[in-house]
Amino acid sequence: MAKPIILLLAALSILYTTSPANAATTSSPSSSAIEFIKASCSATLYPALCVQSLSRYATSIQRNRSQLIKTAFSVSLDEAQSTKAIFASKLNGVKPGGMAVVKDCIEQIGDAVDQLRESIEELKSIGQAKGTGQDSRRLHIGNAQTWTSAALTDISTCTDAVAGEARDGGLETSVRARVDGVAQVTSNALALLNKFGTEL
């Protein structure tokens, strides 16, 4: 009887270690990483959105401030690119009066995309500048802040224009919400850089 009992115990052990509940414990991001993201996001204007957008990357972020900031910028760039594509898809459906607004927004968000890419390149350069002195790192941080501020200006210009056009019924409210979302995640990325840039 001893052998069947041993086999049963072994089977139960395998079942436990492969169960969804236990698998979630071992593969899901640690609570420490999530708490780190929440604490960092408290420095932003939109902390709830910050946590929501970054928590899905908690496994790669862990408690690394540099990775947190780079991820925030990647999220901002992704949102800007997808929003630009949405605007392009609206060209055929918008009212004549809103055509100029849509075209302007496509250009402005396109500029923001380019500026966010420049910011990300500056962040990469910070890592490459380690060991070359604080002045070089501060220069790259300052450049990233400047590029991101310019991106926010372009996005805000589009946001204001879309708000007026949405009130006139020329654009869907959902489109305005997308532009607002880009502005908010970009604001969050800049806030994280301003607060924790020295830790890069």
Side-chain angles (χ1 to χ4, degrees), residues 35-62:
E35 289 305 314
F36 172 76
I37 291 171
K38 288 180 179 179
S40 301
C41 285
S42 65
T44 69
L45 286 177
Y46 309 98
L49 176 62
C50 179
V51 173
Q52 176 190 348
S53 63
L54 295 180
S55 290
R56 71 190 73 174
Y57 305 104
T59 301
S60 60
I61 292 172
Q62 292 299 321

CSV table of all heavy atoms in Angstrom, one decimal, residues 35-62:
chain,number,residue,atom,x,y,z
A,35,GLU,N,3.9,48.1,-5.8
A,35,GLU,CA,3.9,49.2,-4.8
A,35,GLU,C,5.0,50.3,-5.2
A,35,GLU,O,4.8,51.5,-5.0
A,35,GLU,CB,4.3,48.7,-3.4
A,35,GLU,CG,3.2,47.8,-2.8
A,35,GLU,CD,1.9,48.6,-2.7
A,35,GLU,OE1,1.9,49.8,-2.3
A,35,GLU,OE2,0.8,48.1,-3.1
A,36,PHE,N,6.1,49.8,-5.8
A,36,PHE,CA,7.1,50.8,-6.3
A,36,PHE,C,6.5,51.7,-7.4
A,36,PHE,O,6.7,52.9,-7.4
A,36,PHE,CB,8.2,50.0,-6.9
A,36,PHE,CG,9.3,50.8,-7.6
A,36,PHE,CD1,10.2,51.5,-6.9
A,36,PHE,CD2,9.3,50.8,-9.0
A,36,PHE,CE1,11.2,52.3,-7.6
A,36,PHE,CE2,10.3,51.5,-9.7
A,36,PHE,CZ,11.2,52.3,-9.0
A,37,ILE,N,5.7,51.1,-8.3
A,37,ILE,CA,5.1,51.9,-9.4
A,37,ILE,C,4.1,52.9,-8.8
A,37,ILE,O,4.0,54.0,-9.2
A,37,ILE,CB,4.4,50.9,-10.4
A,37,ILE,CG1,5.5,50.2,-11.2
A,37,ILE,CG2,3.5,51.7,-11.3
A,37,ILE,CD1,4.9,49.1,-12.1
A,38,LYS,N,3.3,52.4,-7.8
A,38,LYS,CA,2.3,53.3,-7.2
A,38,LYS,C,3.0,54.4,-6.5
A,38,LYS,O,2.5,55.6,-6.6
A,38,LYS,CB,1.4,52.5,-6.2
A,38,LYS,CG,0.5,51.5,-6.8
A,38,LYS,CD,-0.3,50.8,-5.8
A,38,LYS,CE,-1.4,49.8,-6.4
A,38,LYS,NZ,-2.1,49.1,-5.3
A,39,ALA,N,4.0,54.2,-5.8
A,39,ALA,CA,4.7,55.2,-5.1
A,39,ALA,C,5.4,56.2,-6.0
A,39,ALA,O,5.3,57.4,-5.8
A,39,ALA,CB,5.8,54.6,-4.2
A,40,SER,N,5.9,55.7,-7.1
A,40,SER,CA,6.5,56.6,-8.1
A,40,SER,C,5.5,57.4,-8.8
A,40,SER,O,5.7,58.6,-9.1
A,40,SER,CB,7.3,55.8,-9.2
A,40,SER,OG,8.3,55.0,-8.6
A,41,CYS,N,4.3,56.8,-9.1
A,41,CYS,CA,3.3,57.5,-9.8
A,41,CYS,C,2.6,58.6,-9.0
A,41,CYS,O,1.9,59.5,-9.6
A,41,CYS,CB,2.2,56.5,-10.3
A,41,CYS,SG,2.7,55.6,-11.7
A,42,SER,N,2.8,58.6,-7.7
A,42,SER,CA,2.3,59.7,-6.9
A,42,SER,C,2.9,61.1,-7.2
A,42,SER,O,2.3,62.1,-6.8
A,42,SER,CB,2.5,59.4,-5.4
A,42,SER,OG,3.9,59.4,-5.1
A,43,ALA,N,4.0,61.0,-8.0
A,43,ALA,CA,4.6,62.3,-8.4
A,43,ALA,C,4.0,62.9,-9.6
A,43,ALA,O,4.4,64.0,-10.1
A,43,ALA,CB,6.1,62.1,-8.6
A,44,THR,N,3.0,62.2,-10.2
A,44,THR,CA,2.5,62.7,-11.5
A,44,THR,C,1.1,63.4,-11.3
A,44,THR,O,0.5,63.3,-10.2
A,44,THR,CB,2.2,61.5,-12.4
A,44,THR,OG1,1.2,60.6,-11.9
A,44,THR,CG2,3.5,60.7,-12.6
A,45,LEU,N,0.6,64.0,-12.3
A,45,LEU,CA,-0.7,64.7,-12.2
A,45,LEU,C,-1.8,63.7,-12.4
A,45,LEU,O,-2.9,64.0,-12.0
A,45,LEU,CB,-0.8,65.7,-13.4
A,45,LEU,CG,0.0,67.0,-13.2
A,45,LEU,CD1,-0.1,67.9,-14.4
A,45,LEU,CD2,-0.4,67.8,-11.9
A,46,TYR,N,-1.5,62.6,-13.0
A,46,TYR,CA,-2.6,61.6,-13.2
A,46,TYR,C,-2.1,60.2,-12.7
A,46,TYR,O,-1.8,59.3,-13.5
A,46,TYR,CB,-2.9,61.5,-14.7
A,46,TYR,CG,-3.2,62.8,-15.4
A,46,TYR,CD1,-2.2,63.5,-16.1
A,46,TYR,CD2,-4.4,63.4,-15.2
A,46,TYR,CE1,-2.4,64.7,-16.6
A,46,TYR,CE2,-4.6,64.7,-15.8
A,46,TYR,CZ,-3.6,65.3,-16.5
A,46,TYR,OH,-3.9,66.6,-17.1
A,47,PRO,N,-2.0,60.1,-11.4
A,47,PRO,CA,-1.5,58.9,-10.8
A,47,PRO,C,-2.2,57.6,-11.1
A,47,PRO,O,-1.6,56.5,-11.3
A,47,PRO,CB,-1.5,59.2,-9.3
A,47,PRO,CG,-2.5,60.3,-9.1
A,47,PRO,CD,-2.4,61.1,-10.3
A,48,ALA,N,-3.5,57.6,-11.1
A,48,ALA,CA,-4.3,56.4,-11.4
A,48,ALA,C,-4.0,55.9,-12.8
A,48,ALA,O,-3.8,54.7,-13.0
A,48,ALA,CB,-5.8,56.7,-11.3
A,49,LEU,N,-4.0,56.8,-13.8
A,49,LEU,CA,-3.6,56.4,-15.2
A,49,LEU,C,-2.2,56.0,-15.2
A,49,LEU,O,-1.9,55.0,-16.0
A,49,LEU,CB,-3.8,57.6,-16.1
A,49,LEU,CG,-3.4,57.4,-17.6
A,49,LEU,CD1,-4.2,56.3,-18.2
A,49,LEU,CD2,-3.5,58.7,-18.3
A,50,CYS,N,-1.3,56.6,-14.5
A,50,CYS,CA,0.1,56.2,-14.5
A,50,CYS,C,0.2,54.8,-14.0
A,50,CYS,O,0.9,53.9,-14.6
A,50,CYS,CB,0.9,57.1,-13.5
A,50,CYS,SG,2.6,56.8,-13.3
A,51,VAL,N,-0.4,54.4,-12.9
A,51,VAL,CA,-0.4,53.1,-12.4
A,51,VAL,C,-1.0,52.1,-13.3
A,51,VAL,O,-0.4,51.0,-13.6
A,51,VAL,CB,-1.1,53.0,-11.0
A,51,VAL,CG1,-1.2,51.5,-10.5
A,51,VAL,CG2,-0.4,53.8,-10.0
A,52,GLN,N,-2.1,52.4,-13.9
A,52,GLN,CA,-2.8,51.6,-14.9
A,52,GLN,C,-1.9,51.3,-16.1
A,52,GLN,O,-1.8,50.1,-16.6
A,52,GLN,CB,-4.1,52.2,-15.3
A,52,GLN,CG,-4.9,51.4,-16.4
A,52,GLN,CD,-6.0,52.2,-17.0
A,52,GLN,OE1,-6.4,53.2,-16.4
A,52,GLN,NE2,-6.6,51.7,-18.0
A,53,SER,N,-1.3,52.3,-16.6
A,53,SER,CA,-0.5,52.1,-17.9
A,53,SER,C,0.8,51.4,-17.6
A,53,SER,O,1.3,50.8,-18.6
A,53,SER,CB,-0.3,53.5,-18.5
A,53,SER,OG,0.5,54.3,-17.7
A,54,LEU,N,1.4,51.5,-16.4
A,54,LEU,CA,2.7,50.9,-16.2
A,54,LEU,C,2.6,49.6,-15.4
A,54,LEU,O,3.6,48.8,-15.6
A,54,LEU,CB,3.5,51.9,-15.3
A,54,LEU,CG,3.9,53.2,-16.0
A,54,LEU,CD1,4.7,54.1,-15.1
A,54,LEU,CD2,4.6,53.0,-17.3
A,55,SER,N,1.5,49.3,-14.8
A,55,SER,CA,1.5,48.0,-14.0
A,55,SER,C,1.6,46.8,-14.9
A,55,SER,O,2.1,45.8,-14.4
A,55,SER,CB,0.2,48.0,-13.2
A,55,SER,OG,0.2,48.9,-12.1
A,56,ARG,N,1.1,46.9,-16.1
A,56,ARG,CA,1.2,45.7,-17.0
A,56,ARG,C,2.7,45.4,-17.3
A,56,ARG,O,3.0,44.3,-17.8
A,56,ARG,CB,0.4,46.0,-18.3
A,56,ARG,CG,1.0,47.0,-19.2
A,56,ARG,CD,0.1,47.4,-20.3
A,56,ARG,NE,-1.0,48.3,-19.9
A,56,ARG,CZ,-1.9,48.8,-20.7
A,56,ARG,NH1,-1.8,48.6,-22.0
A,56,ARG,NH2,-2.8,49.6,-20.2
A,57,TYR,N,3.6,46.3,-17.1
A,57,TYR,CA,5.0,46.1,-17.3
A,57,TYR,C,5.8,45.9,-16.0
A,57,TYR,O,7.0,46.0,-16.0
A,57,TYR,CB,5.6,47.3,-18.1
A,57,TYR,CG,4.8,47.6,-19.4
A,57,TYR,CD1,4.0,48.7,-19.5
A,57,TYR,CD2,5.0,46.8,-20.5
A,57,TYR,CE1,3.3,49.0,-20.6
A,57,TYR,CE2,4.3,47.1,-21.7
A,57,TYR,CZ,3.4,48.2,-21.7
A,57,TYR,OH,2.7,48.4,-22.9
A,58,ALA,N,5.1,45.7,-15.0
A,58,ALA,CA,5.7,45.6,-13.6
A,58,ALA,C,6.8,44.5,-13.6
A,58,ALA,O,7.8,44.7,-12.9
A,58,ALA,CB,4.7,45.3,-12.6
A,59,THR,N,6.6,43.4,-14.3
A,59,THR,CA,7.6,42.3,-14.3
A,59,THR,C,9.0,42.8,-14.8
A,59,THR,O,10.0,42.4,-14.3
A,59,THR,CB,7.1,41.1,-15.1
A,59,THR,OG1,5.9,40.7,-14.6
A,59,THR,CG2,8.1,40.0,-15.1
A,60,SER,N,8.9,43.7,-15.9
A,60,SER,CA,10.2,44.2,-16.4
A,60,SER,C,10.7,45.4,-15.6
A,60,SER,O,11.9,45.6,-15.5
A,60,SER,CB,10.0,44.5,-17.9
A,60,SER,OG,9.1,45.5,-18.1
A,61,ILE,N,9.8,46.2,-15.1
A,61,ILE,CA,10.2,47.4,-14.3
A,61,ILE,C,10.8,47.0,-13.0
A,61,ILE,O,11.8,47.5,-12.6
A,61,ILE,CB,9.0,48.3,-14.1
A,61,ILE,CG1,8.5,48.9,-15.4
A,61,ILE,CG2,9.3,49.4,-13.1
A,61,ILE,CD1,7.2,49.7,-15.3
A,62,GLN,N,10.1,46.0,-12.3
A,62,GLN,CA,10.6,45.6,-10.9
A,62,GLN,C,10.7,46.9,-10.1
A,62,GLN,O,9.7,47.6,-9.9
A,62,GLN,CB,11.9,44.9,-11.0
A,62,GLN,CG,11.7,43.5,-11.6
A,62,GLN,CD,10.8,42.6,-10.9
A,62,GLN,OE1,10.7,42.6,-9.7
A,62,GLN,NE2,10.0,41.8,-11.6
